[in-house]
Amino acid sequence: MEKPVIVTVDDDPGVSRAVARDLRRRYGQNYRVVRAEAAKDAIDAVREMRLRGDEVAALLADYRMPQMNGVQFLEAAMDLYPYARRVLLTAYADTDAAIQAINVVDLDHYLLKPWDPPEEKFYPVIDGQLDAWLRTDRIERSELRVVGDRWSAQSYKVRDFLARNHVPYQWMLAEDPEGEQLVRAAGEDCHLPLVVTADGTTLQSPDQSTLATTVGLSTTPATDFYDLIVVGGGPAGLGAAVYGASEGLNTVLVEAYSSGGQAGQSSRIENYLGFPDGVSGQQLADRARRQALKFGAELLTARKVTALEPRGQARVVGFKDGGEIAAHAVILATGVTYRRLQAPGLDDFVSRGVFYGAALTEAPACRDTEVYIVGAANSAGQAAVYLSGFASKVHLLVRSDGLEKSMSHYLIEQIAALPNVEVHLETEVVGGGGSDHLERLTLSSKGEERVVDAQWLFVFIGAEPYTSWLGETVERDARGFVLTGPDLVQGGRRPRNWPLRREPYYLETNVPGVLAAGDVRAESIKRVASAVGEGAMAVTLVHRYLEKQ
């Protein structure tokens, strides 16, 4: 088998030779290094590699090049090799441009020139990128095919589930020639969406559990008793699973949909410690998921928890589709969901033009159209920046008179610098309409209403916790958030069964052995970093609890 390729392009001949020399010295035994001194020559070479079936592991491009700069080259090359790691070579003066490029081409890293000595400033970066490439599942998308209708809510749910669980697939419309053939082969009574696996197995309008099992996701617990059950696979749950498993606890994480939670839908998280170039929510969630698996945690997907019951020293968790598992301790990390927009007509078009969250699977379909986003927090700002790379115009609708109170400063600056993003202050959506999909919105701005043509609306308007299933077992506040620690004893309400000699620790609920972490917890800080920290802290408290049993 041919060696995978590292492609480097720089219009300065001396720099180009130096980069190739450094790469060959370190990686020549396992990789073939191809260099070019013009972006056009490099893209022609990449096209030839694609035709030959070569694998490209990394693309290194200088930012300042004539005719086609480094960002444009990487954008063109990523269409041919979407899994190749993308590194921009830049001078200090062009750092701002490099940072902006992160949102254009999903840049993996940028390197400042010069980087002497390479052992300190060059090789560690390339080592990390090649390691990430080697660990990436590079299965061709044609192995799993999904056929459906453009504005079908069920088709969207299948595609979104696959994408958020990192399952590669090829999407085609039922009226496309290949899609029509697959539907015809499935039979006259075929119910869309149709899922066709690599071995020819077909699923018609599959439910989530069936789809998860078919694509190889784990849905059945390996045993009926664990040291620790983590309910919810967002940052807090993944953090708890990593720390629990790494510290020797027999740990299972149960997730109803996909790992990552709301953070997993973020197109770019730029203020998370240790990722100066930013990281997408899916990338962060995937790394955390693989890390938990490495330490021996068990991850169950597409299993919805609907009951929690203390039985003596055991804490028993029940599933919606039947069955139960038990453990010594449980960490609740179910996170939150975006609130529904209360405007007439919109509920009819959920997943058919109206989306709650980033809905990254829809971004390519938004190309050259106008997109509307509701919200003023970081999630809305990140979506606006990301979708600006596809849409002709992005309208950010903000109910308040400014963004400063709710959005990070770096995002406000990015939005202000984007020519195709317009912020509408003191503006709300008060209605929507259409036929088989969203076609128009009614907007209210300072008391005046107007109707606009709109096919795309993404909503980020606050959060609601999924905790109603807890019933009377675990105490919650008026909004449904789980009460923990000091919040439990305010007003003289002491948790049931807690020893009188002490108050509950910070993350402990009123039920001994049951803790809460992340966004689901009352008074939590709604940040990815704090959620991960709470997940880790909860494991420490689990150890303390187990020591006393």
Side-chain angles (χ1 to χ4, degrees), residues 108-393:
D108 293 304
H109 205 93
Y110 69 88
L111 268 170
L112 295 178
K113 301 186 294 184
W115 46 67
D116 290 330
E119 288 76 13
E120 294 181 12
K121 299 181 179 179
F122 185 61
Y123 293 145
V125 171
I126 304 303
D127 286 347
Q129 297 305 317
L130 294 177
D131 179 63
W133 179 79
L134 287 169
R135 289 187 284 103
T136 299
D137 185 359
R138 300 184 298 278
I139 299 172
E140 288 294 324
R141 290 183 178 274
S142 59
E143 288 208 352
L144 187 73
R145 289 166 290 179
V146 180
V147 186
D149 295 323
R150 177 69 196 88
W151 296 109
S152 161
Q154 183 62 20
S155 293
Y156 164 74
K157 290 177 182 177
V158 167
R159 291 186 293 125
D160 187 61
F161 179 81
L162 293 173
R164 289 177 60 182
N165 281 287
H166 313 282
V167 179
Y169 69 94
Q170 181 184 358
W171 161 246
M172 58 189 72
L173 297 174
E175 57 265 29
D176 292 341
E178 186 178 354
E180 186 177 8
Q181 291 176 5
L182 292 173
V183 171
R184 191 162 52 245
E188 293 183 0
D189 297 327
C190 178
H191 297 285
L192 298 179
L194 173 68
V195 178
V196 184
T197 67
D199 62 4
T201 301
T202 60
L203 303 175
Q204 298 183 25
S205 190
D207 60 57
Q208 190 170 290
S209 179
T210 302
L211 182 60
T213 302
T214 301
V215 300
L217 298 175
S218 178
T219 60
T220 305
T223 183
D224 56 5
F225 197 91
Y226 297 84
D227 294 324
L228 173 63
I229 298 172
V230 181
V231 184
L238 288 168
V242 167
Y243 280 88
S246 67
E247 294 174 11
L249 297 177
N250 184 15
T251 303
V252 60
L253 183 149
V254 184
E255 168 55 44
Y257 194 74
S258 66
S259 58
Q262 278 195 6
Q265 299 182 62
S266 176
S267 56
R268 177 67 58 177
I269 302 170
E270 297 189 61
N271 57 356
Y272 190 74
L273 186 67
F275 291 88
D277 303 330
V279 62
S280 75
Q282 283 195 349
Q283 289 172 329
L284 188 63
D286 184 52
R287 292 177 183 182
R289 179 185 62 83
R290 287 189 279 109
Q291 195 173 14
L293 290 171
K294 181 187 77 170
F295 286 122
E298 186 180 337
L299 271 60
L300 304 182
T301 305
R303 296 299 299 271
K304 192 170 186 178
V305 174
T306 55
L308 172 63
E309 179 185 352
R311 294 181 191 169
Q313 297 300 312
R315 303 292 175 259
V316 181
V317 165
F319 298 118
K320 180 181 179 180
D321 55 359
E324 61 184 30
I325 54 176
H328 294 298
V330 173
I331 296 177
L332 303 175
T334 50
V336 293
T337 58
Y338 289 111
R339 284 204 306 267
R340 290 296 181 99
L341 194 61
Q342 300 301 313
L346 291 187
D347 282 349
D348 297 333
F349 303 108
V350 174
S351 301
R352 295 189 295 135
V354 177
F355 302 93
Y356 289 88
L360 301 183
T361 54
E362 299 302 294
C366 297
R367 194 175 299 278
D368 301 326
T369 65
E370 296 197 15
V371 169
Y372 289 80
I373 298 173
V374 178
N378 280 3
S379 53
Q382 290 161 352
V385 172
Y386 180 71
L387 290 171
S388 70
F390 299 89
S392 59
K393 188 71 174 287

Side-chain angles (χ1 to χ4, degrees), residues 230-243 253 260-264 269 272 284 288 331-336 506-507 516-521 523-539:
V230 181
V231 184
L238 288 168
V242 167
Y243 280 88
L253 183 149
Q262 278 195 6
I269 302 170
Y272 190 74
L284 188 63
I331 296 177
L332 303 175
T334 50
V336 293
Y506 188 54
L507 304 178
D519 290 357
V520 73
R521 191 179 64 80
E523 306 302 324
S524 66
I525 299 173
K526 306 300 188 279
R527 288 288 187 271
V528 176
S530 62
V532 173
E534 289 193 5
M537 186 190 306
V539 171

Side-chain angles (χ1 to χ4, degrees), residues 69-118:
N69 66 32
V71 174
Q72 293 167 330
F73 164 75
L74 292 173
E75 190 171 15
M78 69 188 290
D79 291 334
L80 299 167
Y81 286 99
Y83 299 111
R85 307 299 291 182
R86 295 174 286 277
V87 179
L88 193 67
L89 311 178
T90 181
Y92 183 79
D94 297 321
T95 302
D96 288 344
I99 293 173
Q100 292 297 324
I102 290 171
N103 299 302
V104 177
V105 296
D106 198 18
L107 198 66
D108 293 304
H109 205 93
Y110 69 88
L111 268 170
L112 295 178
K113 301 186 294 184
W115 46 67
D116 290 330

Side-chain angles (χ1 to χ4, degrees), residues 369-375 384 391-398 420-424 443 450 452-454 456-458:
T369 65
E370 296 197 15
V371 169
Y372 289 80
I373 298 173
V374 178
S392 59
K393 188 71 174 287
V394 175
H395 301 271
L396 183 59
L397 311 180
V398 179
N420 63 333
V421 177
E422 183 177 354
V423 180
H424 304 266
L443 307 181
R450 59 190 175 98
V452 297
D453 293 333
W456 307 98
L457 177 67
F458 299 89

